[in-house]
Amino acid sequence: MDGRFQTLADAYYIEDNWSVTPDLVLNFGLRREGFDNRNSDGDSYIESDNNVAPRMGFSWDVKGDGRSKLFGNLGRYFLPVANVINIKQAGGFRDERTFYAFGGLEPFEYNGSTYYRPILGQQIGPVDDSQGDGTVGDLRGEVDADIKTVHQDEAILGFQSMLDDTWSWGVRGTYRRLTHAIDDMELTSNGILCDGEPGYIGYIMGNPGEDATVYTDTDCDGTPDGYVTIDTSRAGWAMYDDDGNYVGEHGWVKPRRTYKALDLQIDRAWDGKWAFNASYTLSFSQGNAEGPVNSDTGFSDTGRTENFDDPWVNWRGYGYLPNDRRHQLKLRGIYGITEHWQLGGTLTAMSGRPVSAFGVGNPFDGTNYHSNYVCIDRCTYYEDPETGEHIDYLPSQRIYAHSARGAGGRLPWTYDLGASITWLRSFGSTNVRVKLAVYNLLDQQRVLSVDEERESDIGFLNPTWRQGSGYQSPRYAQLTVSADF
């Protein structure tokens, strides 16, 4: 893979602040922005312009004495397609795979140790470059021509007030809602029947659960020649019976995500001797799309998650998302021992994230990938009573149970205690600061993530389900030296 990969972004913003009264200020803004993702040849292939984001807010000095404030904001925010998509989808990707007959193992020495490597026999078949032959193809069949930019709406309402000259408190509510999302989908039907079966399109970048306009074969001659628009909320995925006969189509659910949070905070300002801050957040993160990556399945290909590869990955997948940590408590403090020495401490406590129990099959067709269903009966095969032969159950014969998000409970709380000592000194007009900070002082190693795949294959339970895959970083120290002059 080679070439230059660019994403051009432009934005224009106008804003006006209006003092309605000495105590009430309103602000209004309008942001227009555009994004242009380009392939390795420098040509546009995902372009979205005229994205208009209105924003408004207010601030009200409730008592008119500058010691309390009621405030709020309402706005829309757009996000560009991740740059990595330029490389992987439009970068002239080359992926060559060569297969050989296995000729055994041979030993070899490396750094004083003996290792074994395979002996390659005769090559089997030609080199497979079906995943990428190094050229930039016709991307009209891989990108929705009318793709909508990812954006979410946000509303904030809060109140802050001074208790005295050093202490203050505040409360804030936040609501965010995902409106549009971009992800990859495998369209196995273009809606045009050729010899009784629909034409195949392949993976596209689009808005799941919405219309997708793509370039495809419209006259059944095997060559793309025109655009079709597919309502992916009800079509785009070809359905077949157990005998392989085309029986209709299915669509995708639309990505959804909401975040609701209530923040409480109390603060003591630094008075030359000590300062303190404490905050507590109660939050709820729900939906069927965590974001540009999947932390529950460990899929980190930004902007191209597994969530919408086929309709069943997210079918009945609405629930509390992996980043849902219901409770978060943060404490921070600093104390001046002398003029030149300060002690600091931090404590972060968070409740555990939900754990899912994903399956691989589904009760609708024979797809074997990711799903929110686990096979519970007639999953694999049965023995012929006369011959004893193993006969696989057909997809329509399998019995599944829905496995909702969070079906595996939640992980335990995590705690991170930190401490620091700081030396301050002035040399003329230069202020020197030396700080030694220790993080995870108690060296806790609590689990942060686990294997959430309940099945390893249809009817086979995964023995590593709920085993840890990520843990707290061990205790470590950091020394920083800074000079301001």
Side-chain angles (χ1 to χ4, degrees):
M1 181 188 302
D2 58 17
R4 297 179 61 197
F5 308 97
Q6 294 181 317
T7 295
L8 304 182
D10 62 87
Y12 306 93
Y13 187 70
I14 58 173
E15 180 181 8
D16 183 48
N17 295 313
W18 179 29
S19 296
V20 182
T21 70
D23 303 324
L24 177 62
V25 177
L26 302 180
N27 53 72
F28 300 93
L30 194 65
R31 181 183 178 93
R32 177 270 177 200
E33 51 192 331
F35 308 107
D36 183 6
N37 291 65
R38 299 193 171 187
N39 63 25
S40 58
D41 293 336
D43 300 323
S44 298
Y45 85 101
I46 297 182
E47 187 173 8
S48 175
D49 53 12
N50 294 324
N51 300 302
V52 179
R55 297 171 192 177
M56 60 190 71
F58 75 93
S59 178
W60 177 34
D61 185 348
V62 179
K63 296 181 180 180
D65 57 2
R67 298 177 64 85
S68 60
K69 177 177 69 173
L70 180 68
F71 62 92
N73 295 285
L74 184 64
R76 172 164 290 180
Y77 302 88
F78 289 90
L79 294 174
V81 175
N83 290 342
V84 70
I85 303 301
N86 301 21
I87 301 173
K88 293 196 171 185
Q89 185 177 34
F93 184 68
R94 181 184 295 276
D95 184 347
E96 294 183 344
R97 307 183 186 196
T98 307
F99 298 88
Y100 300 88
F102 179 61
L105 297 172
E106 62 177 358
F108 69 99
E109 299 290 327
Y110 181 75
N111 287 341
S113 299
T114 300
Y115 299 89
Y116 289 86
R117 60 191 172 201
I119 301 172
L120 302 182
Q122 185 176 0
Q123 181 174 327
I124 303 173
V127 175
D128 178 11
D129 62 0
S130 60
Q131 300 299 309
D133 63 3
T135 63
V136 179
D138 186 349
L139 298 174
R140 292 177 297 175
E142 299 183 32
V143 177
D144 176 7
D146 297 318
I147 198 168
K148 301 179 182 67
T149 309
V150 178
H151 70 269
Q152 70 176 14
D153 298 324
E154 179 183 77
I156 295 175
L157 181 64
F159 178 77
Q160 294 175 332
S161 179
M162 297 290 297
L163 296 173
D164 56 29
D165 291 340
T166 56
W167 287 91
S168 63
W169 71 280
V171 59
R172 181 179 64 180
T174 302
Y175 176 79
R176 300 189 187 110
R177 182 188 66 183
L178 177 69
T179 307
H180 291 295
I182 294 176
D183 215 320
D184 60 323
M185 302 176 285
E186 184 184 12
L187 299 185
T188 60
S189 170
N190 63 4
I192 299 172
L193 296 183
C194 302
D195 296 327
E197 292 191 8
Y200 178 80
I201 296 177
Y203 280 92
I204 72 159
M205 293 297 293
N207 306 113
E210 301 184 49
D211 286 350
T213 301
V214 290
Y215 200 68
T216 184
D217 176 16
T218 63
D219 58 8
C220 301
D221 67 353
T223 302
D225 52 41
Y227 283 97
V228 297
T229 297
I230 301 168
D231 180 359
T232 65
S233 69
R234 59 183 183 85
W237 182 262
M239 300 287 290
Y240 299 88
D241 63 21
D242 290 336
D243 296 323
N245 299 309
Y246 171 71
V247 294
E249 301 198 15
H250 206 282
W252 282 255
V253 295
K254 187 176 180 179
R256 292 190 293 165
R257 182 176 67 244
T258 60
Y259 175 78
K260 307 169 188 175
L262 178 66
D263 297 289
L264 303 174
Q265 181 169 295
I266 188 166
D267 185 84
R268 187 189 190 278
W270 173 254
D271 62 354
K273 190 64 177 178
W274 68 289
F276 175 76
N277 175 268
S279 65
Y280 167 76
T281 301
L282 172 68
S283 63
F284 302 84
S285 181
Q286 292 177 282
N288 58 15
E290 179 184 0
V293 297
N294 283 0
S295 65
D296 47 8
T297 61
F299 194 81
S300 57
D301 195 351
T302 306
R304 298 179 71 178
T305 73
E306 301 160 310
N307 276 340
F308 301 95
D309 284 2
D310 65 60
W312 318 123
V313 177
N314 233 330
W315 196 254
R316 295 189 67 187
Y318 186 89
Y320 290 113
L321 294 168
N323 55 7
D324 178 69
R325 294 184 178 274
R326 189 61 42 80
H327 307 282
Q328 295 187 54
L329 176 66
K330 296 181 180 180
L331 305 177
R332 294 171 290 275
I334 186 170
Y335 179 75
I337 305 173
T338 67
E339 179 184 357
H340 303 296
W341 290 94
Q342 295 176 350
L343 288 178
T346 61
L347 173 65
T348 301
M350 296 188 295
S351 59
R353 57 183 278 177
V355 177
S356 293
F358 297 119
V360 293
N362 68 83
F364 311 105
D365 67 10
T367 304
N368 185 335
Y369 188 47
H370 291 286
S371 76
N372 295 289
Y373 292 89
V374 173
C375 189
I376 59 175
D377 193 19
R378 296 188 294 194
C379 303
T380 55
Y381 62 84
Y382 63 94
E383 290 189 2
D384 186 292
E386 296 182 0
T387 66
E389 179 185 2
H390 288 180
I391 301 176
D392 291 336
Y393 282 109
L394 298 173
S396 63
Q397 295 175 313
R398 296 171 182 148
I399 306 299
Y400 287 89
H402 178 230
S403 181
R405 281 189 179 272
R410 284 184 177 265
L411 295 181
W413 280 67
T414 57
Y415 307 91
D416 189 338
L417 179 65
S420 65
I421 184 169
T422 304
W423 180 72
L424 304 168
R425 194 81 183 191
S426 296
F427 298 93
S429 61
T430 302
N431 298 318
V432 176
R433 179 187 182 93
V434 181
K435 180 178 180 180
L436 176 65
V438 180
Y439 300 93
N440 194 7
L441 188 64
L442 302 180
D443 200 24
Q444 297 232 341
Q445 298 291 295
R446 297 201 176 192
V447 64
L448 299 178
S449 60
V450 297
D451 186 348
E452 300 189 45
E453 303 290 347
R454 190 67 182 96
E455 287 184 312
S456 57
D457 202 347
I458 296 176
F460 293 89
L461 295 180
N462 177 16
T464 63
W465 177 65
R466 241 185 169 279
Q467 288 188 13
S469 58
Y471 299 85
Q472 288 179 265
S473 298
R475 179 174 52 233
Y476 67 98
Q478 183 180 60
L479 179 65
T480 58
V481 179
S482 63
D484 299 327
F485 52 89

